[in-house]
Amino acid sequence: MVKRFILQWHLSENCNLKCLHCYQENHKPICLKYNDLEKIYKQYKNLLKKLNMKGHINITGGEPLCNPFFFRILDLIKSDSDIMTFSILTNGTLITEEIAKKIKSYNPYYVQVSLEGSKKTNDLIRGKGTYKNISEGIKALKKQNIFTSISFTATKLNYKEFPKVVRLAKRLKVDNVWSDRFIPLGDSDKELMMNYEETRQYLEIMNKERNKLLKSNLNTVVSMRRALQFQPNNSFPYQCTAGDTLLTVMENADLVPCRRMPIVVGNLLKDDMYKLYKNNKVLKALRKNNIPDDCKKCEHSNLCKGGLKCLTYALYKDLNHKDVGCNL
């Protein structure tokens, strides 16, 4: 995929689940009118035109299939398929064969489904019966030959169960398995965050599973293109693009650099996306080559730039610190 400007678009936080690590705990969902959603979409198209770039939209939520305008938004994107692609980030529990067939007609770049470990652990985190429903959703997607990815959020509770997720992915012929670490949004969330040693073990577990798949004849791959994941296999470091070629729109039209870096830079019902991108101090700072002081002597600093910046922000409320999971 050529480099594109990515918009992660949370249509609303309506969801049919109540996950243990949900970023919207005790939150009353908002659902914008279709005209407001269309206004946001047009602003994104204008930004692409001004920057002379093509785009990619990650449609998500909450659960995007809970939004009444979900397929109308896909209609908009399909009408502009010459300048943008799209993906769907879903919990997978609402994807029937009929829904999968309809999604296929829009030609998604991929559909990402969330899974948190074994049946027992996943259902503890996402709710009773969800493991079975997620598995059925994945089967429906693969029946339509849709590129399907499993997303695994690593926490203190489940990071050792990554191999079990890979095992299911192989059985269901999932195309890609990727993972990132849980980001706390408050003090009560920090008990789910892995410590330094757990992070090291998690990276080694991922790399072991990746190497096993590379030696097999299967099409399933483990993607290690997130912060610090280059360390166990000495691959090319990942660099956070939040504020540069990634922006996120929240359910109330707030614009933030990334869902996991909830710094509100404006609201698209009254502000213009392109003007915010060009002029906002936070976004301009994120586009600078700002390497944390304690990373500047590291040989990877120009590419890694401090690792998982959203985790750094969550812990310190500023970005001038190296990733707490870094072992370099």
Side-chain angles (χ1 to χ4, degrees):
M1 184 178 182
V2 297
K3 187 176 181 181
R4 293 170 180 254
F5 196 108
I6 297 174
L7 183 73
Q8 181 143 325
W9 194 357
H10 294 256
L11 293 185
S12 81
E13 296 300 339
N14 279 315
C15 188
N16 60 316
L17 302 182
K18 189 71 173 176
C19 300
L20 188 64
H21 57 27
C22 180
Y23 291 124
Q24 292 296 333
E25 186 180 4
N26 301 321
H27 171 73
K28 185 176 181 180
I30 297 168
C31 186
L32 296 181
K33 296 177 181 178
Y34 176 76
N35 288 345
D36 291 330
L37 296 174
E38 188 178 30
K39 178 181 178 180
I40 292 168
Y41 179 76
K42 288 179 178 178
Q43 288 192 49
Y44 176 58
K45 280 183 62 177
N46 180 61
L47 178 140
L48 295 178
K49 182 179 179 181
K50 295 275 191 181
L51 297 179
N52 193 28
M53 292 184 70
K54 292 197 172 184
H56 179 85
I57 301 180
N58 288 325
I59 301 291
T60 186
E63 170 49 50
L65 283 164
C66 288
N67 188 281
F69 306 119
F70 174 73
F71 285 107
R72 290 183 70 180
I73 295 300
L74 295 193
D75 286 333
L76 285 176
I77 298 171
K78 187 175 182 178
S79 68
D80 290 311
S81 59
D82 58 325
I83 62 168
M84 72 179 74
T85 53
F86 80 97
S87 300
I88 300 166
L89 315 185
T90 170
N91 63 41
T93 61
L94 300 178
I95 297 179
T96 61
E97 289 195 5
E98 182 181 358
I99 292 293
K101 188 174 182 179
K102 191 169 183 180
I103 288 172
K104 175 67 174 179
S105 70
Y106 289 94
N107 193 30
Y109 192 70
Y110 64 86
V111 175
Q112 174 186 294
V113 178
S114 298
L115 191 72
E116 311 302 349
S118 65
K119 180 179 183 295
K120 180 180 179 181
T121 301
N122 180 83
D123 286 8
L124 172 66
I125 294 172
R126 291 194 165 263
K128 187 176 180 180
T130 55
Y131 187 91
K132 180 178 183 296
N133 292 338
I134 292 165
S135 299
E136 292 302 315
I138 291 172
K139 290 177 186 177
L141 292 168
K142 291 307 301 174
K143 187 175 181 179
Q144 296 300 322
N145 293 316
I146 295 171
F147 190 99
T148 304
S149 177
I150 286 180
S151 169
F152 174 84
T153 300
T155 70
K156 188 180 290 287
L157 290 176
N158 71 342
Y159 74 94
K160 291 183 179 179
E161 297 199 6
F162 184 76
K164 296 181 180 180
V165 173
V166 175
R167 193 179 309 151
L168 179 70
K170 290 190 293 184
R171 180 165 63 83
L172 298 182
K173 298 181 180 180
V174 167
D175 300 278
N176 177 61
V177 183
W178 79 279
S179 173
D180 214 341
R181 288 166 282 161
F182 172 73
I183 306 299
L185 292 184
D187 290 339
S188 61
D189 296 331
K190 290 180 181 178
E191 62 188 29
L192 291 174
M193 190 181 78
M194 295 181 294
N195 61 31
Y196 172 85
E197 177 57 25
E198 290 163 341
T199 300
R200 186 194 64 77
Q201 292 177 26
Y202 154 72
L203 295 177
E204 291 292 345
I205 290 168
M206 280 197 74
N207 192 48
K208 183 178 180 180
E209 293 301 313
R210 172 182 175 272
N211 289 338
K212 284 164 60 176
L213 283 174
L214 287 173
K215 293 176 183 178
S216 73
N217 294 319
L218 300 174
N219 292 324
T220 302
V221 300
V222 168
S223 174
M224 294 188 70
R225 285 286 298 124
R226 304 299 292 173
L228 302 190
Q229 291 178 7
F230 72 95
Q231 291 184 358
N233 55 47
N234 200 31
S235 59
F236 195 77
Y238 166 86
Q239 185 180 119
C240 175
T241 61
D244 183 10
T245 55
L246 166 68
L247 290 174
T248 299
V249 180
M250 302 306 297
E251 60 168 349
N252 63 346
D254 279 348
L255 189 69
V256 299
C258 167
R259 173 67 189 89
R260 305 196 304 171
M261 192 187 295
I263 307 171
V264 178
V265 301
N267 184 280
L268 299 181
L269 298 185
K270 54 183 175 57
D271 301 312
D272 178 74
M273 185 185 294
Y274 176 72
K275 290 180 179 178
L276 289 171
Y277 175 78
K278 292 296 288 184
N279 301 319
N280 180 266
K281 292 181 180 180
V282 173
L283 299 181
K284 288 169 73 173
L286 286 169
R287 291 195 289 273
K288 289 181 179 179
N289 191 28
N290 52 350
I291 300 168
D293 291 339
D294 44 4
C295 293
K296 288 181 178 177
K297 293 182 180 180
C298 177
E299 63 179 312
H300 304 292
S301 62
N302 284 329
L303 294 172
C304 177
K305 292 188 176 179
L308 200 56
K309 290 187 177 295
C310 51
L311 179 57
T312 295
Y313 181 79
L315 295 177
Y316 304 109
K317 293 298 180 280
D318 74 67
L319 301 175
N320 191 31
H321 299 270
K322 77 173 186 178
D323 192 313
V324 294
C326 182
N327 63 8
L328 299 178

